[in-house]
Amino acid sequence: MAWENRNGKTDIKSLSLSELEQELAALGEKPFRAGQLYQWMHQKLARSYKDMTNLPKGLREKLASAYACTTLRQVQMQESRIDGTRKFLFALEDGHVVESVWMRYKHGNSVCISSQVGCRMGCRFCASTLGGLVRGLLPGEMLDQVYAISLLTGERVSNVVVMGTGEPLDNYDSLVRFLELLTDEKGLHISARNITVSTCGLAPQMRKLAREKLQITLALSLHAATDEKRRSLMPVANRYGIGELMEACREYFEQTGRRITFEYSLVGGVNDTREDARLLAALAGPLRCHVNLIPVNPIKERDYVQSEAGRIQVFKNMLEKNGINVTIRREMGRDIDGACGQLRRSYMQEDQTC
Ligand code: SAH
């Protein structure tokens, strides 16, 4: 994997330490330089080669001409007055923008990152997919969302969720390299157990991920407990049925020992009845999954509405009665463009009109 940007240059932040050693050897450099360079990028979070002051100037110049070094430029930031959540819009080197979110919880700070520019999965309630897929992000571009936020907030990031724009398993190799670099003890060393990857349910890639035996949490966006209902919300359900997804979840649990989370966005009058809850419990029970209920965040392009608060509570109680471990996702940053992809979308729409 060359990890090339669109100008055909290798992105140096996407390389592993051993790849970096090989690259530097090819440039006639001593092996310890790779370690220094890696530390600058992944621990000291240097923004450019210029900052890497213990590297000889000649080497820095050589690196700058041979490799691209991802940096993101903040183009917007919204901060919630309610809970301090900050939503960032970052421009990539090629001018496309991605959004990332910083959330402060009692147990530490969490960053939600995007894995692709746009998305091709087409989930009906999601704003990220309305303009289709532009491209997948490089590992360095995913890392840099965490690094940039860590620098901008001046605070340690303890949790990372890959739940922003994009389908992470549709950008599989980049995702796995990103996870390797993020958890590396020579980098930010974020514990794998504090990382969650959310998928709309690409069953073959879920099984492949199981075999990587990472200790991350895998979250499956289920949103419906029957194939028919799921197909009405998520086109990907035409490719992989619930039976196949449950098989993939079982394999993930067997290979990693990690319980799966089911995400279930409650859409008023669509998937929020007692019967829906009963069917969901029947799926989650045998796998001992955790269920995370998300009141749907309405987007203006679709007429989906949130379930009433009372219904959400009944739904939760039904699951609990069936022995399911369930939480309702706290809505963070309600007063800022909350739903996935909304900030990027409103930015692009403004951009087109001026
Ligand atoms: N592609 C991945 C990750 C991105 S979305 C996935 O599908 O899991 C993260 C979660 O937010 C998913 O469960 C997604 O279905 C959900 N989501 C997207 N838009 C939403 C909205 N408007 N309201 C509620 N949940 C939404």
Side-chain angles (χ1 to χ4, degrees):
M1 191 60 67
W3 308 122
E4 281 174 6
N5 70 7
R6 80 179 169 149
N7 301 323
K9 269 194 175 180
T10 296
D11 175 46
I12 201 157
K13 269 192 193 170
S14 299
L15 300 180
S16 65
L17 182 55
S18 64
E19 285 171 349
L20 216 47
E21 280 164 359
Q22 285 166 23
E23 295 285 330
L24 287 197
L27 292 176
E29 295 290 335
K30 299 217 169 64
F32 78 95
R33 293 290 183 204
Q36 286 180 318
L37 179 57
Y38 191 86
Q39 190 185 38
W40 275 115
M41 291 189 289
H42 301 293
Q43 228 163 35
K44 299 184 187 170
L45 312 186
R47 301 261 307 149
S48 73
Y49 295 117
K50 277 197 229 73
D51 298 341
M52 304 179 184
T53 44
N54 63 356
L55 297 185
K57 196 155 176 276
L59 172 58
R60 280 185 266 155
E61 282 165 2
K62 248 196 274 184
L63 291 171
S65 66
Y67 304 97
C69 180
T70 298
T71 41
L72 304 178
R73 187 171 53 82
Q74 181 187 317
V75 288
Q76 255 188 40
M77 196 275 282
Q78 295 181 341
E79 181 165 3
S80 165
R81 287 201 204 104
I82 303 172
D83 53 35
T85 293
R86 292 186 207 171
K87 203 153 206 194
F88 294 91
L89 201 62
F90 291 118
L92 304 163
E93 226 83 26
D94 61 5
H96 289 299
V97 294
V98 289
E99 42 177 285
S100 328
V101 187
W102 181 76
M103 289 159 285
R104 189 182 251 147
Y105 292 101
K106 275 194 230 76
H107 60 264
N109 298 320
S110 184
V111 170
C112 173
I113 66 147
S114 294
S115 56
Q116 297 182 311
V117 182
C119 182
R120 58 176 170 170
M121 296 297 135
C123 297
R124 302 275 305 152
F125 45 79
C126 180
S128 293
T129 201
L130 291 166
L133 175 69
V134 179
R135 66 175 177 87
L137 295 184
L138 290 164
E141 293 172 322
M142 287 192 249
L143 281 171
D144 223 35
Q145 295 172 61
V146 181
Y147 296 177
I149 288 182
S150 168
L151 290 169
L152 288 164
T153 59
E155 291 193 29
R156 201 189 128 70
V157 173
S158 52
N159 293 66
V160 173
V161 296
V162 189
M163 282 192 188
T165 296
E167 168 48 45
L169 299 189
D170 188 35
N171 191 17
Y172 187 89
D173 293 332
S174 263
L175 173 80
V176 170
R177 171 55 59 86
F178 159 76
L179 295 171
E180 283 166 7
L181 294 173
L182 189 65
T183 53
D184 187 1
E185 59 182 16
K186 293 198 170 81
L188 274 197
H189 197 193
I190 293 188
S191 161
R193 287 164 179 265
N194 291 348
I195 301 174
T196 298
V197 171
S198 175
T199 178
C200 64
L202 302 180
Q205 285 90 329
M206 287 165 70
R207 287 196 296 268
K208 194 169 170 197
L209 189 66
R211 294 191 290 274
E212 313 273 353
K213 296 196 192 298
L214 304 172
Q215 284 297 297
I216 58 164
T217 299
L218 181 63
L220 171 64
S221 298
L222 197 58
H223 305 321
T226 65
D227 281 322
E228 195 191 353
K229 207 168 266 194
R230 198 162 185 268
R231 283 189 209 116
S232 75
L233 291 168
M234 308 172 74
V236 69
N238 292 302
R239 275 201 274 161
Y240 307 109
I242 288 177
E244 195 175 349
L245 290 178
M246 295 305 113
E247 261 315 304
C249 288
R250 191 164 304 126
E251 189 168 334
Y252 192 87
F253 179 61
E254 275 166 16
Q255 294 278 347
T256 63
R258 305 282 298 158
R259 287 190 198 180
I260 305 276
T261 296
F262 284 166
E263 284 159 284
Y264 195 98
S265 295
L266 283 161
V267 188
V270 174
N271 61 0
D272 60 349
T273 63
R274 284 167 179 272
E275 176 65 0
D276 290 314
R278 198 184 58 74
L279 291 170
L280 177 59
L283 293 175
L287 289 164
R288 291 189 290 151
C289 293
H290 174 97
V291 174
N292 195 12
L293 299 174
I294 315 168
V296 79
N297 204 331
I299 56 172
K300 67 173 187 303
E301 290 81 358
R302 303 270 189 263
D303 49 12
Y304 290 126
V305 293
Q306 275 192 6
S307 304
E308 289 156 24
R311 256 182 190 265
I312 297 179
Q313 210 50 52
V314 170
F315 199 92
K316 179 171 185 263
N317 293 345
M318 283 282 291
L319 290 171
E320 279 172 345
K321 261 191 230 147
N322 283 281
I324 309 296
N325 182 336
V326 49
T327 44
I328 299 177
R329 188 195 281 176
R330 236 174 85 206
E331 283 180 275
M332 303 290 279
R334 268 212 80 134
D335 52 335
I336 52 182
D337 283 322
C340 291
Q342 281 193 167
L343 177 60
R344 171 170 172 264
R345 197 162 165 77
S346 57
Y347 174 81
M348 291 194 324
Q349 281 165 348
E350 269 167 40
D351 210 37
Q352 278 159 15
T353 51
C354 59

